[in-house]
C-alpha cells in the first residue's frame, strides 16, 4: 500500500518539521488546535521546542523572538486569534523577521462558527496589520498540498526575510485524505542568508544587491538593534526620508522581483476556454468538480487555481481572462478575492459565487454559474 | 584608589554603551531612566558577562528606547509584549542572559497578562520595571501604578483606581526573585539587578523612578531634584519599615529583596521534555 | 460500484461517528482506493449533531463532501429527518432501531445496532463499529480484512479486542440479513 490517511492540520505540522521548524508558540483555538497538539508531541522529538502562550498576541511575539534567536518558527491559529496576531505580524514585516503564521479559517466575524469553514480572512491576511507592507500568503487545496505549502512557506520566509501566512480553512484543516508524503531527500529546504563579514561591518538592514540582507541570530557576536520603528541600515530608529524611502522600496522590491518563485498557480485548459473559473483553498475542490462536470457536458471551461493569493498574481489572472467574457470566482466569503479579480479583469466580467455561512460552495452552485455565465453572452 | 575607580567607570561606559553612535538620548534632562541604564550595565559588568551573551528587550514608552544605547543584542518590540518576545528568544537561546526593560504601563497594563504568565512559568528572564507612575512618552496619562487621588491628563478630577503593587503581584504569580529599589539608591539598584541576572528563573526588579515632566508637573511635585529627594526621604529598607509605626508607613517606598527562592527554571524543564520525547522515540513508541 | 461512492454517517456527538468515518476511509485506502473523510460537528463533545462523510473513489476525489449519499447511516432521529432528502434515489438507508422511531421510507434497513453492540461487548459506544461491519458486510464497499486493520489502527489502545468483536457482529448480522432477504 502506498499513501496513508492524514489530516490537513497534521500535514501542516509534519510539513513544518520537514522544513526545519524548531519552534512553535500558540494558543488553543478550533480548528487549528490539532497543529499545536501534533507539534507539542513532535517538536521535542527532533530537539525543537513548543510553548503554549497566554494568548495569540504573545504567541506571535514569541515566534519572532525565537526567529531572532535563529530558529525557524511558526504559530497556528484561526480568525479570532489571527486578529490578535496582526500587531506583531506588522512587527515581523517591519523588522524583516522570517516566520510562518498559519490561519485555519473558520466562519466569522467574531466567534462566528468555530467548527465551520470559511475563506473570510483573505483580505485580513493582506491588510490585517496597519501600514503598507509586503506579505506572502499561500492557500492549499488538499492535505498533500498543505504539507508542501508549509515547506514552501518556511522556504519563502527564510529566503526573503518576511512573515509568510499559510491560509488554510477548516475543510482542509480537518479533512483526512489519502496522502503520499515526499521522501525527506526530495524536499527542498532553504536556509536564511547569512554572512561572514566581521561584526563591525555587519548591517542587518543593508541595501544589498539581492534586496535581502543577511540575518545573523542573536548571540553570535554580531550585536545589532531590531525595532518596529522605521530604521536605518544598522537597525537604529530614523526619521530621515533618505533612510526610510530606500527601506520601503527595498522590502517591496524583494518580493516583486521574485514573483516567479513566489507565485504558485495551476492553469488548466485556459487556452480555448469560453469561461474561466478561478478558485483557491477548499473551494477549488468544488470548482474542479464542477469544471469536470461542465466539460463532460461540452462546455469549454478553463480552470485557474491559485496557490499564492498575495502578492495577487495579477499577470496570471490577466492573461487567463484576456480573451474571455466571463470569469467565475467561487469562494467562502462574499467576494474578497473577487475584488482583486475585478480590479484586474474588469468588474463586468466577474461572476461571484460567495457564501459566508460556514457551508462549502457546492459543485452544483459553481456549475450553475458556469451555465449562467455561458448563456449570458451567447 | 579614586583614580582607579574612575578608570573602571570609564571602561564600563566604553564597553557597554553605543556611546559614539547613539547619543544624546531621547530622555528628558533629569529623568531617572539613565540611572537605571547605568545600574544595568554596572550589574552586567559586576557579574562579568560579555556583551555578546546579553540581550536587552524592551517594549514601548520612554523605557522602550533604552536598548538603542546599550551595546548588547538589542530589540525594541511592541507595547507590552517585550516579555513574550523575550520568552521566544530565551527558549531557543537559553544560554543568553535576557534582560527585559519595561515601564509601568508597558509591563502592567497592556503587558499585564504577559507579566504574570512569564512569572508563572518561571522562565529565566530578568524583568526590570521602571515605575514612574505615569505614561510619560504620551504626555502624562494615568497608569496602573498611579496612586489613587493623583492627577493625570486622563484623570483631571483625580484617579479613582487602585495602583498595582508590582512586587506582590510578581511574588504571587510565581517569580523566583523579586526586589525593589529607587533611582536615588543607584548602587543598591545595581546590586539587586546583578542578583536578578544571576538568578536562575524569572526575576523582577522594580526600579522606582519619577516623571517630573508630566506627572510631577500635573501633581505639583516640583523639579527632578525635588522628586529625587522624595525617593531619598521615602525610600526605606524593609528593616526600617518594619520598625515604623503604622501611621508612618503609608507614604514609604520599601526597598529590598522580597523573594529569593529556588524553583525549577522553564528552559531547564523543557530540556527534560526533549530528553523524555527522544527517549520515547528511541523506545519505538510514538508517545 | 460507481466511480464515486459517498457515505454519510450521522448521529449525535459521543456516538463515535467521526471515528467511524476515519476507520471507513482508512479501510478504503488499505483496499487500494482513494478516500476523503470530512466532518461536521457542533461545540458539544457529547450530545449535539455530529456527522462524518466519506467519499471513496478509484480515481481522484475533487469535492471531498457528499453531494448525494449512496449510503446513509442514521444513529439518531434528527440525523434521519435531516439527511434523508439528499440520499440518492436508490441509496441505502441504514437506521439504528434503538434511536430512530420514525422512518422516512419503507425501504430503510432498520436494525438494532446499539442493542447488538450492548449484547456483544457490553458497551453502547461500540455501536458505531457494529454499524461499520454491518454496512461493509451488506455492501462490500470495503473488504473485511481492511476493516479489521483499520479498526486496530484507530480505536483507542486497549479497546482493540472489543471493537473487533463489535465489527465481527456487524459482519455476521449483515450475512444473516442478506440470507433473510433472499428467502
Amino acid at each position: 500500500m502506498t499513501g496513508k490517511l492524514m489530516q490537513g492540520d497534521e500535514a501542516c505540522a509534519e510539513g513544518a518539521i520537514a522544513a526545519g521548524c524548531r519552534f512553535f508558540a500558540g494558543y488553543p483555538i478550533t480548528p487549528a488546535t490539532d497543529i499545536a497538539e501534533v507539534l507539542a508531541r513532535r517538536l521535542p522529538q527532533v530537539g525543537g521546542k513548543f510553548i503554549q502562550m497566554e494568548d495569540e498576541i504573545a504567541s506571535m511575539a514569541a515566534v519572532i523572538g525565537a526567529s531572532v534567536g535563529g530558529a525557524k518558527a511558526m504559530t497556528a491559529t484561526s480568525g479570532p486569534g489571527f486578529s490578535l496576531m496582526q500587531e506583531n505580524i506588522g512587527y515581523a514585516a517591519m523588522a524583516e523577521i522570517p516566520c510562518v503564521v498559519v490561519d485555519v479559517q473558520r466562519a466569522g466575524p467574531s466567534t462566528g462558527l468555530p467548527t465551520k469553514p470559511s475563506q473570510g480572512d483573505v483580505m485580513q491576511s493582506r491588510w490585517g496589520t496597519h501600514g503598507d507592507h509586503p506579505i506572502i500568503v499561500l492557500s492549499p487545496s488538499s492535505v498533500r498540498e498543505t504539507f508542501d505549502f508549509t515547506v514552501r512557506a518556511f522556504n519563502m520566509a527564510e529566503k526573503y526575510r518576511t512573515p509568510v501566512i499559510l491560509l488554510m480553512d477548516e475543510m482542509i484543516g480537518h479533512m483526512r485524505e489519502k496522502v503520499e508524503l515526499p521522501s525527506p531527500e526530495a524536499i527542498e529546504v532553504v536556509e536564511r542568508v547569512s554572512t561572514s563579514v566581521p561584526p563591525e561591518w555587519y548591517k542587518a538592514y543593508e541595501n544589498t544587491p539581492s534586496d535581502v540582507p543577511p540575518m545573523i541570530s542573536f548571540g553570535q557576536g554580531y550585536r545589532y538593534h531590531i525595532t518596529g520603528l522605521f530604521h536605518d541600515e544598522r537597525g537604529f530608529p530614523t526619521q530621515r526620508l533618505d533612510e526610510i524611502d530606500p527601506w520601503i522600496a527595498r522590502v517591496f522590491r524583494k518580493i516583486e522581483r521574485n514573483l516567479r518563485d513566489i507565485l504558485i498557480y495551476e492553469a488548466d485548459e485556459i487556452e480555448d476556454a469560453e469561461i474561466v473559473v478561478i478558485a483557491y483553498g477548499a473551494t477549488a475542490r468544488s470548482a474542479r468538480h464542477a469544471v469536470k462536470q461542465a466539460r463532460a457536458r461540452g462546455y469549454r471551461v478553463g480552470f485557474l487555481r491559485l496557490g499564492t493569493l498575495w502578492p495577487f498574481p495579477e499577470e496570471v489572472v490577466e492573461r487567463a481572462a484576456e480573451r474571455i467574457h466571463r470569469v467565475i470566482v467561487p469562494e467562502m466569503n462574499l467576494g474578497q478575492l473577487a475584488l482583486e479579480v475585478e480590479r484586474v479583469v474588469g468588474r463586468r466580467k466577474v461572476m461571484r459565487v460567495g457564501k459566508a455561512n460556514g457551508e462549502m460552495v457546492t459543485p452544483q452552485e459553481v456549475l450553475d454559474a458556469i451555465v449562467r455565465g455561458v448563456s449570458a453572452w451567447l | 584608589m579614586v583614580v582607579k575607580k574612575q578608570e573602571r567607570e570609564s571602561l564600563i561606559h566604553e564597553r557597554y554603551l553605543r556611546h559614539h553612535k547613539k547619543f544624546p538620548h531621547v530622555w528628558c534632562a533629569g529623568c531617572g531612566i539613565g540611572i537605571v541604564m547605568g545600574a544595568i550595565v554596572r550589574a552586567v559588568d559586576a557579574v562579568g558577562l560579555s556583551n555578546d551573551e546579553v540581550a536587552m528587550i524592551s517594549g514601548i514608552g520612554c523605557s522602550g528606547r533604552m536598548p538603542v544605547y546599550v551595546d548588547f543584542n538589542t530589540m525594541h518590540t511592541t507595547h507590552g509584549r517585550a516579555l513574550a518576545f523575550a520568552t521566544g528568544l530565551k527558549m531557543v537561546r537559553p544560554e543568553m542572559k535576557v534582560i527585559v526593560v519595561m515601564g509601568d504601563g508597558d509591563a502592567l497594563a497592556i503587558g499585564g497578562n504577559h507579566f504574570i504568565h512569564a512569572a508563572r512559568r518561571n522562565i529565566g528572564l530578568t524583568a526590570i520595571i521602571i515605575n514612574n507612575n505615569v505614561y510619560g512618552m504620551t504626555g502624562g496619562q494615568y497608569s496602573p501604578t498611579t496612586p489613587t487621588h493623583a492627577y493625570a491628563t486622563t484623570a483631571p478630577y483625580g484617579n479613582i483606581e487602585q495602583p498595582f503593587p508590582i512586587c506582590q503581584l510578581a511574588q504571587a504569580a510565581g517569580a523566583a526573585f523579586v526586589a525593589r529599589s529607587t533611582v536615588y539608591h543607584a548602587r543598591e539598584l545595581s546590586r539587586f539587578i546583578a542578583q536578578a541576572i544571576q538568578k536562575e528563573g524569572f526575576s523582577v526588579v522594580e526600579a522606582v523612578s519619577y516623571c517630573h515632566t508630566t506627572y510631577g508637573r500635573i501633581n505639583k511635585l516640583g523639579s527632578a531634584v525635588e522628586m529625587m529627594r522624595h525617593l531619598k526621604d521615602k525610600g526605606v529598607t524593609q528593616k526600617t519599615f518594619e520598625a515604623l509605626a503604622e501611621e508612618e508607613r503609608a507614604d514609604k517606598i520599601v526597598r529590598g529583596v522580597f523573594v529569593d527562592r529556588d524553583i525549577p527554571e522553564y528552559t531547564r524543564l523543557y530540556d527534560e521534555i526533549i530528553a523524555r520525547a527522544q527517549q520515547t522515540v528511541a523506545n519505538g513508541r510514538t508517545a | 460500484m460507481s466511480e464515486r461512492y459517498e457515505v454519510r454517517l450521522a448521529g449525535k456527538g459521543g456516538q463515535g461517528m467521526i471515528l467511524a468515518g476515519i476507520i471507513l476511509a482508512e479501510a478504503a485506502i488499505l483496499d487500494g482506493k482513494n478516500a476523503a473523510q470530512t466532518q461536521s460537528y457542533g461545540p458539544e463533545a457529547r450530545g449535539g449533531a455530529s456527522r462524518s462523510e466519506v467519499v471513496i473513489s478509484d480515481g481522484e476525489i475533487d469535492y471531498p463532501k457528499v453531494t448525494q449519499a449512496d449510503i446513509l447511516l442514521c444513529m439518531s432521529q434528527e440525523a434521519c429527518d435531516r439527511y434523508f432528502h439528499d440520499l440518492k434515489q436508490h441509496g441505502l438507508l441504514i437506521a439504528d432501531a434503538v434511536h430512530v422511531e420514525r422512518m422516512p421510507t419503507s425501504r430503510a434497513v432498520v436494525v438494532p445496532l446499539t442493542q447488538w453492540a450492548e449484547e456483544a461487548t457490553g458497551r453502547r459506544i461500540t455501536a458505531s463499529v457494529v454499524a461499520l461491519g454491518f454496512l461493509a458486510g451488506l455492501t462490500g464497499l470495503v473488504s473485511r480484512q481492511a476493516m479489521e486493520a483499520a479498526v486496530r489502527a484507530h480505536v483507542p489502545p486497549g479497546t482493540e479486542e472489543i471493537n473487533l468483536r463489535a465489527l465481527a457482529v456487524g459482519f455476521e448480522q449483515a450475512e444473516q440479513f442478506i440470507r433473510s432477504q433472499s428467502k
Side-chain angles (χ1 to χ4, degrees), chain C residues 3-76:
Chain C
E3 225 243 351
R4 186 184 156 98
Y5 212 83
E6 301 184 345
V7 183
R8 176 174 278 153
L9 312 171
K12 286 181 178 164
Q15 281 183 319
M17 290 297 101
I18 291 173
L19 182 61
I22 295 169
I23 291 169
L24 182 58
E26 177 83 50
I29 287 175
L30 291 172
D31 276 342
K33 292 180 179 128
N34 217 341
Q37 179 269 337
T38 62
Q39 56 216 320
S40 175
Y41 60 98
E44 312 88 343
R46 303 283 179 270
S50 170
R51 74 170 201 258
S52 189
E53 298 184 353
V54 182
V55 178
I56 298 172
S57 172
D58 293 320
E60 210 180 315
I61 296 167
D62 292 316
Y63 188 59
K65 297 188 70 69
V66 166
T67 53
Q68 277 201 309
D70 294 277
I71 301 174
L72 172 63
L73 169 71
C74 292
M75 302 283 287
S76 76

Side-chain angles (χ1 to χ4, degrees), chain B residues 131-209:
Chain B
N131 182 6
N132 65 355
N133 312 107
V134 78
Y135 286 89
M137 187 162 263
T138 47
Q141 298 76 34
Y142 70 92
S143 87
T145 59
T146 300
T148 313
H149 308 308
Y151 294 94
T153 59
T154 47
Y157 306 107
N159 180 25
I160 54 173
E161 299 180 11
Q162 300 178 65
F164 258 143
I166 297 174
C167 291
Q168 285 154 270
L169 187 63
Q171 177 173 6
F177 181 91
V178 181
R180 180 196 291 124
S181 190
T182 83
V183 293
Y184 176 79
H185 306 87
R187 295 278 168 185
E188 178 186 76
L189 180 62
S190 192
R191 208 167 60 240
F192 289 171
I193 293 171
Q195 280 178 265
I197 291 171
Q198 285 170 289
K199 186 75 193 176
E200 200 179 65
F202 190 69
S203 54
V204 179
V205 177
E206 178 185 353
V208 180
S209 187

Side-chain angles (χ1 to χ4, degrees), chain A residues 41 45 47 49-52 54 57 61-62 65 69 87-88 91 218-221 223-227 236, chain B residues 22 52 68 71-76 78 81 84-85 88-89 91-93 114 117 121 266 270 278 281 286:
Chain A
R41 177 169 53 80
Q45 292 177 353
K49 291 174 180 180
F50 169 94
I51 187 169
Q52 184 170 305
E54 53 274 17
I57 300 171
E87 174 191 51
N88 288 329
Y91 186 92
F218 271 16
Q220 304 297 292
R223 300 184 302 276
Y224 63 100
H225 189 63
I226 300 174
T227 178
F236 292 113
Chain B
K22 289 295 145 195
D52 285 330
V68 166
D71 192 15
F72 302 133
N73 301 276
T74 57
M75 196 170 180
H76 174 209
T78 47
R81 320 299 176 207
F85 280 80
L89 177 63
M91 285 281 281
V92 302
R93 294 261 169 212
H114 310 309
H117 287 280
R121 284 186 196 103
Y266 189 84
Y270 201 87
Q278 293 185 338
V281 175
T286 52

